[in-house]
Amino acid sequence: MVLWSKEQDKLSEMSTGAIEMKKEAVAPAYHHSNGSVHPVILSDGTQELQQEAGEYELTDVTSFTDRGDQENDRSEMVVIDCRANAKGQREEDALLENASQSNESDDTSTDQSPVPPPPLKETSFSIGLQVVFPFLLAGFGTVAAGMVLDIVQHWQVFTEVSEVFILVPALLGLKGNLEMTLASRLSTAANIGQMDTAKDKWKMIMGNLALIQVQATVVGFLASIAAMIFGWIPEGQFKLGHAVLLCASSVATAFIASLLLGLIMIGVIIGSRKVGINPDNVATPIAASLGDLITLALLAGISTGLYKELEYNDYANPLVCAFFVALTPLWVLIARKIPSTKEVLYSGWEPVIIAMAISSVGGLILDKTVSNPNFAGMAVFTPVINGVGGNLVAVQASRISTYLHMNGLPMGEPNPAPVKCPTPCTTFFGSGVNSRSARVLFLLVAPGHLVFLYTINTMQGGHTTLTPIFIGFYLAAALLQVSILLYLANWMVQWMWGRGMDPDNFSIPYLTALGDLLGTGLLALCFHILWLIGDRDTDVGD
């Protein structure tokens, strides 16, 4: 409703609770009820028109101009747009519709502020129903990766160049450093409406694909350097041919695996939105289900092929490494054109590189443990325990990040108030949606691992019999790993959000890398304890 006064009107007092306009002896009253404004319209006389049954809505009020008092002043209020609902239904006055239609559309388009989408309202059952099938799919993917690692650990390239084992957690961790981060970033963008149009969708796809190719090339190169440092410096031995082999194998594996998994992730997220499934619950587990298997198969195949070339061609490995590195400037140019990926291109290296270093420490533990024939059975279980922990914590971190984005909470305030560190009770036993999801994810650990363990046993994989003692120690290690990761996710995501760091880009690499380190370390501890107490069985599957 637009109203104004002609001639000489004077606004003497205006407050949030009421507006009073003094005109000689007449004072129009404005009644407020639940935020709505009901005007009393004055006629030329001093009589007050009674408000009819219905509801009037004030859509726009122009500013009143103070003027000097003069005698014989008269006031006239002109009502331009008024909506009445005399019978309980909102109807527009037909006589004034044509006159105010254009103005009304302009007013509503300019005055209406964007309303953030409502927070996620999911029950524990709905969360579990959406998560359990991708979780099982991801778990079987890690089982397949474990079976592959159990086989290839006896190949010549793994026995002659044992530092390739150090590359395994670092390159398998790319699914957390790159693919899961990509999935979380695109899931958040899809949930908040940044991929609704075809133009925005293709910009996000191209920018993010180029970004992960840059990151994969750099991380693959640095992972090979870390393998050299952790593997050869303690022993004091260095072979240039093996160093170039590690570099070429690592860079080629990271590049190809990231490209394939990135395309799969984009298809999963777009498909999830079309069928009405929350991409946060689906994308990251599917990334993990194929990530470990594809990456490990590529690493074994590429490293074996390049190792054979060492005997006949000294230039094959350097050329492979140089080819993928030479493509990096092209991907940088593409990623810089998209604002969202441009920011990550310059500021997103710290978590990726630190996560790679953390995973490499887990790789060193794997190398030293698997090299001992007494602990050969650890190889088949390492991708499983690391993969399950990384999958679950990536889902939780992605959900918390989306929750913060969708609720419009301010990111990185200039003077952030000190946030109380969450306790395990608030993380797992709170009433919020994030606590419910943490409980659901934690409860999936034990039954999920039992399914995966008996799948490995049925396929006669590994070198360890599934005794009750082994199962008990294994489940204890898995539950401890996931509980620590879920607690850290609750604290880390909110801590990063309060300091202006997007959790989609920063939290998941750290969390999945810690999952690799915790999983490998706890599993190695289990095998050492089992060996000490006499539960020794190393010939199963031979």
Side-chain angles (χ1 to χ4, degrees):
M1 176 185 296
V2 181
L3 52 88
W4 70 86
S5 60
K6 292 184 179 179
E7 298 294 329
Q8 299 165 350
D9 298 324
K10 182 178 180 180
L11 178 65
S12 62
E13 183 177 357
M14 184 174 182
S15 65
T16 59
I19 301 177
E20 295 180 3
M21 184 182 296
K22 297 181 180 179
K23 289 297 178 181
E24 295 186 4
V26 181
Y30 290 80
H31 305 282
H32 296 254
S33 175
N34 297 328
S36 61
V37 181
H38 306 286
V40 178
I41 305 175
L42 298 181
S43 63
D44 292 338
T46 61
Q47 296 180 352
E48 182 176 303
L49 296 178
Q50 299 295 329
Q51 178 180 344
E52 297 180 1
E55 182 178 359
Y56 294 86
E57 181 180 6
L58 182 64
T59 58
D60 190 7
V61 181
T62 60
S63 60
F64 291 94
T65 306
D66 294 338
R67 304 190 180 205
D69 293 333
Q70 297 181 6
E71 295 184 1
N72 299 327
D73 58 347
R74 63 186 181 86
S75 64
E76 180 182 0
M77 286 194 176
V78 182
V79 180
I80 295 299
D81 183 20
C82 178
R83 293 176 180 172
N85 185 11
K87 297 181 180 180
Q89 297 179 354
R90 188 175 297 272
E91 297 178 356
E92 187 173 4
D93 192 337
L95 296 177
L96 301 177
E97 180 179 5
N98 294 332
S100 61
Q101 185 175 6
S102 60
N103 290 334
E104 183 184 13
S105 62
D106 293 340
D107 291 340
T108 56
S109 62
T110 56
D111 294 341
Q112 188 176 10
S113 59
V115 179
L120 294 174
K121 295 182 180 179
E122 296 176 294
T123 64
S124 298
F125 178 77
S126 64
I127 295 172
L129 189 62
Q130 292 187 27
V131 171
V132 64
F133 295 107
F135 168 74
L136 291 175
L137 179 62
F140 288 122
T142 60
V143 169
M147 298 290 291
V148 171
L149 182 59
D150 185 53
I151 295 172
V152 301
Q153 68 173 328
H154 305 294
W155 288 11
Q156 184 178 7
V157 65
F158 284 86
T159 56
E160 297 294 331
V161 189
S162 64
E163 290 77 15
V164 177
F165 280 112
I166 302 178
L167 292 177
V168 171
L171 293 181
L172 296 186
L174 284 178
K175 72 179 185 299
N177 298 342
L178 304 181
E179 280 77 29
M180 285 187 180
T181 303
L182 170 67
S184 178
R185 197 160 53 232
L186 292 181
S187 297
T188 299
N191 279 324
I192 63 178
Q194 293 182 357
M195 295 180 63
D196 291 343
T197 64
K199 181 179 179 181
D200 292 340
K201 184 184 302 181
W202 281 110
K203 286 176 62 178
M204 291 291 293
I205 290 174
M206 294 303 298
N208 280 278
L209 278 179
L211 174 64
I212 63 171
Q213 294 313 114
V214 176
Q215 293 177 326
T217 304
V218 174
V219 170
F221 181 76
L222 294 178
S224 64
I225 296 178
M228 300 175 199
I229 294 174
F230 289 139
W232 287 324
I233 286 184
E235 300 177 1
Q237 299 179 358
F238 181 82
K239 294 182 179 180
L240 182 60
H242 289 180
V244 179
L245 168 66
L246 285 176
C247 182
S249 301
S250 180
V251 171
T253 300
F255 184 94
I256 299 173
S258 296
L259 180 60
L260 293 176
L261 292 172
L263 293 173
I264 295 172
M265 280 303 91
I266 291 169
V268 168
I269 291 170
I270 294 176
S272 298
R273 292 288 293 174
K274 289 184 177 180
V275 299
I277 297 176
N278 187 352
D280 286 320
N281 296 334
V282 178
T284 49
I286 292 181
S289 66
L290 299 175
D292 287 345
L293 180 60
I294 291 176
T295 304
L296 190 55
L298 286 172
L299 176 62
I302 292 174
S303 60
T304 299
L306 294 177
Y307 180 77
K308 293 179 179 180
E309 287 295 325
L310 284 176
E311 302 177 0
Y312 309 104
N313 191 349
D314 295 334
Y315 299 101
N317 291 333
L319 286 177
V320 170
C321 187
F323 171 75
F324 289 108
V325 171
L327 293 176
T328 304
L330 174 62
W331 308 124
V332 171
L333 292 176
I334 297 175
R336 288 182 59 185
K337 294 182 179 180
I338 312 300
S340 60
T341 55
K342 181 179 180 180
E343 179 183 357
V344 182
L345 183 64
Y346 291 112
S347 63
W349 291 103
E350 177 184 347
V352 173
I353 294 175
I354 294 178
M356 179 273 303
I358 296 174
S359 296
S360 296
V361 176
L364 179 61
I365 297 174
L366 177 64
D367 180 28
K368 299 303 180 183
T369 306
V370 176
S371 298
N372 188 340
N374 295 325
F375 306 123
M378 179 178 167
V380 71
F381 300 110
T382 301
V384 178
I385 192 170
N386 291 350
V388 169
N391 299 345
L392 295 177
V393 75
V395 171
Q396 180 71 351
S398 181
R399 289 179 58 88
I400 298 175
S401 177
T402 300
Y403 177 85
L404 295 174
H405 278 283
M406 293 184 67
N407 283 273
L409 300 177
M411 179 191 296
E413 295 181 351
N415 297 316
V419 180
K420 186 178 180 181
C421 183
T423 63
C425 290
T426 59
T427 300
F428 294 99
F429 302 105
S431 58
V433 64
N434 294 325
S435 296
R436 287 199 299 270
S437 62
R439 292 193 294 270
V440 171
L441 296 175
F442 182 79
L443 292 175
L444 289 175
V445 176
H449 272 296
L450 288 175
V451 172
F452 305 144
L453 287 177
Y454 281 100
T455 301
I456 294 174
N457 185 65
T458 301
M459 301 175 66
Q460 297 183 352
H463 304 267
T464 303
T465 303
L466 296 184
T467 63
I469 297 177
F470 172 78
I471 295 175
F473 274 94
Y474 181 88
L475 291 180
L479 290 170
L480 179 60
Q481 174 208 28
V482 173
S483 62
I484 293 174
L485 291 176
L486 291 176
Y487 172 74
L488 290 177
N490 187 31
W491 167 79
M492 184 179 294
V493 171
Q494 299 188 48
W495 181 84
M496 290 180 172
W497 181 272
R499 280 152 183 78
M501 297 183 290
D502 190 349
D504 286 328
N505 300 324
F506 288 88
S507 64
I508 293 181
Y510 288 124
L511 293 170
T512 54
L514 289 172
D516 292 341
L517 180 59
L518 286 172
T520 307
L522 291 173
L523 188 60
L525 181 62
C526 287
F527 270 85
H528 279 84
I529 295 176
L530 291 171
W531 179 263
L532 291 176
I533 65 177
D535 188 36
R536 308 171 183 179
D537 192 358
T538 62
D539 59 351
V540 178
D542 287 343

